[in-house]
Amino acid sequence: MPSVKLPIYLDNNSTTVCDPRVVDAMLPYFTEKYGNSASGSHVFGWQAHSAVESARRTIAHTLGAVPSEIVFTSGATESDNLAIKGAALSKGARGKHIITAATEHKAVLDSCNWLASNGFEVTMLAVDEDGFVSLDELFASIRNDTILVSIMHGNNEIGTIQNIAEIGKITRDRGALFHTDATQTIGKIPFNTKEVHVDMASLTAHKLYGPKGVGALYVRSGCQLAAQMHGGGQESGSRSGTLNVPGIAGLAKACEISLESMNYEIAHCRKLRDILWKGIQSLGVTMQLNGPDPLLHPDKRLPGNLNVGFETEKGRQIARNLEEVAFSAGSACSSGKKGASHVLQAIGRQKEEMSSFRFGVGRFTTEEEIDYILDCMRRAL
């Protein structure tokens, strides 16, 4: 087996390395064009403002949107909070009913819980064993006072890709707003805001080979959100705060690269993910796939995502032999908290029965690295 550079990174659903081309696009805004984009009286401010608006156009093109529909934030968590709280607090006169799903990211669930503690009613949709919501149950749950439905596009733990186009049609026909956390899908698989009928979509740069600390929220023209951050009135009053110009330039470059290389990367990540899954199946131990079967339903699972449960003792054996491999036992955003994954619980998995491993194949993963990981697993067993 050819030598590989250790340690190996296989946690791309948690975060991605910043692509060198993205770093190059960001550098001038640290050292040369370092003005505040809100400073309209001199050339440094004009350069920064120009960079922000150019990035806004690039990101809008990536999403099939118009530039005025892009609001810059610090990342997907802030975007989720702005979308959910902002929509609820601006639509309160129409009603106070919100619908979400049990497998959502904590940024969505905690935002909904906060609203529930402040007079709103939240309906939590169950999911099936592969993590899909029932369209019939969603339809039946929407009421005259339903103001918002928030269902994520691609699940960060088990890779499930929801049919958000159909969810969007149902929601729009019933007169409610539809928000999707598209953090795991924008830049990874096709996403066009008009085709999927979303009113709001959250994204972040560090999931698509951009920098941490910057993201955006797509807000369809005509949708009103109550601001959650107040101050200088940036982003047309939707989100106050000095804009992260280098980060925004990096997000735009990351989107540009991802759009250009999407077809290749989908094929690359699926190929390596499937090699890994077939190799794991050949180990001859009891295991449990979490999420849709990537071999039977490749379009229903994120291209690079694989989440497998092993019997606890076997899982410990494998983990001890994968010390040079970075992978995750669940969502990185909640990995510091004790307790079983709420996503795995929602699909009927129990922590004491299985040790769950989430592997995230990415742009820079190689077949040699996958072979090394499988060899480590075989030796462990």
Side-chain angles (χ1 to χ4, degrees), residues 13 42 83 96 121 162 182 230 261 267 298 314 334 364 377 381:
N13 294 122
H42 52 71
K96 291 194 171 185
E121 181 184 353
Q162 301 286 351
H230 303 91
S261 62
K314 295 295 185 184
S334 59
F364 301 109
M377 288 184 171
L381 297 171

Side-chain angles (χ1 to χ4, degrees), residues 85-348:
K85 296 176 185 175
L89 296 175
S90 68
K91 293 285 186 182
R94 181 183 186 273
K96 291 194 171 185
H97 181 230
I98 299 165
I99 299 173
T100 189
T103 48
E104 293 296 306
H105 191 279
K106 286 294 186 179
V108 169
L109 295 178
D110 286 354
S111 293
C112 289
N113 289 337
W114 182 87
L115 288 169
S117 68
N118 284 273
F120 289 80
E121 181 184 353
V122 178
T123 294
M124 192 75 65
L125 298 178
V127 296
D128 66 18
E129 63 180 7
D130 284 334
F132 292 102
V133 299
S134 163
L135 297 181
D136 290 337
E137 185 180 355
L138 170 65
F139 183 87
S141 298
I142 298 178
R143 312 182 317 212
N144 291 334
D145 63 340
T146 302
I147 54 175
L148 175 69
V149 174
S150 182
I151 304 290
M152 74 189 334
H153 191 192
N155 188 273
N156 51 306
E157 292 194 34
I158 59 174
T160 307
I161 299 175
Q162 301 286 351
N163 188 351
I164 61 169
E166 288 302 315
I167 293 172
K169 286 180 183 177
I170 292 170
T171 305
R172 189 161 294 180
D173 288 345
R174 300 295 298 275
L177 293 177
F178 176 39
H179 163 254
T180 188
D181 183 334
T183 305
Q184 296 287 340
T185 52
I186 289 176
K188 305 292 183 67
I189 62 175
F191 184 96
N192 183 290
T193 57
K194 304 302 185 291
E195 294 175 359
V196 295
H197 311 290
V198 298
D199 297 297
M200 295 171 286
S202 301
L203 67 145
T204 193
H206 77 100
K207 303 292 189 183
L208 61 150
Y209 309 95
K212 298 173 182 65
V214 64
L217 177 67
Y218 160 78
V219 184
R220 184 173 61 84
S221 297
C223 292
Q224 299 297 317
L225 300 181
Q228 300 302 296
M229 293 182 67
H230 303 91
Q234 289 90 342
E235 295 302 273
S236 301
S238 295
R239 192 269 187 187
S240 292
T242 302
L243 292 178
N244 177 359
V245 179
I248 289 169
L251 171 57
K253 187 64 177 179
C255 286
E256 179 184 299
I257 294 169
S258 295
L259 195 61
E260 291 172 352
S261 62
M262 185 176 294
N263 290 336
Y264 163 78
E265 289 194 28
I266 289 173
H268 170 75
C269 290
R270 280 180 178 170
K271 175 187 174 183
L272 298 190
R273 187 266 318 276
D274 292 350
I275 291 173
L276 179 60
W277 175 223
K278 290 175 184 177
I280 290 174
Q281 288 178 298
S282 72
L283 294 176
V285 297
T286 300
M287 67 188 70
Q288 192 169 48
L289 176 67
N290 298 319
D293 191 315
L295 303 179
L296 297 178
H297 307 290
D299 292 332
K300 294 183 178 181
R301 189 177 192 119
L302 295 173
N305 174 278
L306 183 66
N307 191 314
V308 182
F310 295 96
E311 288 181 324
T312 301
E313 186 52 43
K314 295 295 185 184
R316 288 175 182 154
Q317 288 179 236
I318 293 171
R320 283 194 293 267
N321 229 38
L322 292 178
E323 291 182 351
E324 294 285 354
V325 180
F327 64 95
S328 177
S331 170
C333 296
S334 59
S335 60
K337 300 178 181 179
K338 295 181 179 179
S341 158
H342 71 282
V343 174
L344 297 182
Q345 288 179 326
I347 63 172

Side-chain angles (χ1 to χ4, degrees), residues 64-101:
V66 297
S68 61
E69 295 175 319
I70 305 301
V71 176
F72 290 116
T73 68
S74 63
T77 291
E78 184 187 343
S79 294
D80 287 343
N81 274 259
L82 175 57
I84 294 167
K85 296 176 185 175
L89 296 175
S90 68
K91 293 285 186 182
R94 181 183 186 273
K96 291 194 171 185
H97 181 230
I98 299 165
I99 299 173
T100 189

Side-chain angles (χ1 to χ4, degrees), residues 23-39:
V23 175
D24 289 342
M26 295 170 63
L27 286 177
Y29 301 100
F30 287 112
T31 58
E32 300 168 22
K33 305 174 183 179
Y34 49 83
N36 186 329
S37 62
S39 298

